[in-house]
Each structure stands twice: as C-alpha cells, then as structure tokens.
C-alpha cells in the first residue's frame, strides 16, 4: 500500500500515487523531475477528469512535516483548471 495511517484505505483504493526518486527531506528535486511530474499529473488529470482540487500533494517522509524544499505553490499553479 502506498499510503499509511488515517484515511489510507480510501487513498489506496481510489487514488493514483506518484513517487519521485530522491530525498525531499534534504533537498529539492531537480528541474527535470519537477517538469516531468507536472507533465505526468496533467496527463492523469486529462485522462481521468481529475480537477486540481482533487490533487493531493504530500512530499517528504512526514517525520518532520511536509518538505520545506518542494515548491508547493508553484506546483499547484501548474495543475490544470477544471474545464
């Protein structure tokens, strides 16, 4: 299972998880990784009709909270708006 903890059963049954190789707790992903992540998520949004408010972002191990290295606002700005 991809997600653990509260709500995990729903996410593991109804969501698509995307994993990037790296350690977001220590440093940001590369520009190429971020670009490909945006491309992939936009493709999934289009194919499955996923609105931007249904895209959940959790980066880092969670031990220290969300990664301070990931550009959350930038990423959210790249998501496709509902048609």
């Amino acid at each position: 299972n991809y997600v653990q903890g509260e709500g995990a059963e729903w996410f593991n049954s109804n969501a698509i998880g995307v994993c990037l190789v790296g350690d977001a707790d220590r440093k940001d992903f590369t520009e190429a990784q971020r670009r490909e992540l945006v491309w992939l998520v936009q493709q999934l949004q289009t194919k499955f009709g996923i609105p931007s408010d249904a895209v959940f972002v959790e980066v880092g191990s969670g031990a220290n909270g969300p990664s301070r290295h990931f550009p959350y606002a930038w990423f959210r700005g790249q998501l496709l708006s509902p048609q």
Side-chain angles (χ1 to χ4, degrees):
N1 290 334
Y2 187 73
V3 176
Q4 297 179 356
E6 187 176 336
E9 185 176 334
W10 184 90
F11 277 101
N12 289 322
S13 298
N14 298 287
I16 301 167
V18 176
C19 181
L20 297 177
V21 175
D23 186 351
D25 293 326
R26 294 185 191 196
K27 63 180 184 174
D28 194 3
F29 295 107
T30 67
E31 182 179 336
Q33 284 177 298
R34 291 190 309 270
R35 184 177 55 246
E36 291 300 314
L37 174 64
V38 167
W39 177 86
L40 175 60
V41 172
Q42 288 177 344
Q43 295 299 307
L44 292 169
Q45 283 187 273
T46 300
K47 182 170 182 155
F48 296 108
I50 302 168
S52 59
D53 63 353
V55 175
F56 298 93
V57 183
E58 185 172 317
V59 180
S61 68
N64 299 314
S67 171
R68 66 185 187 344
H69 301 288
F70 188 76
Y72 294 94
W74 170 84
F75 177 75
R76 285 225 131 333
Q78 305 304 307
L79 299 175
L80 300 177
S81 299
Q83 305 277 327

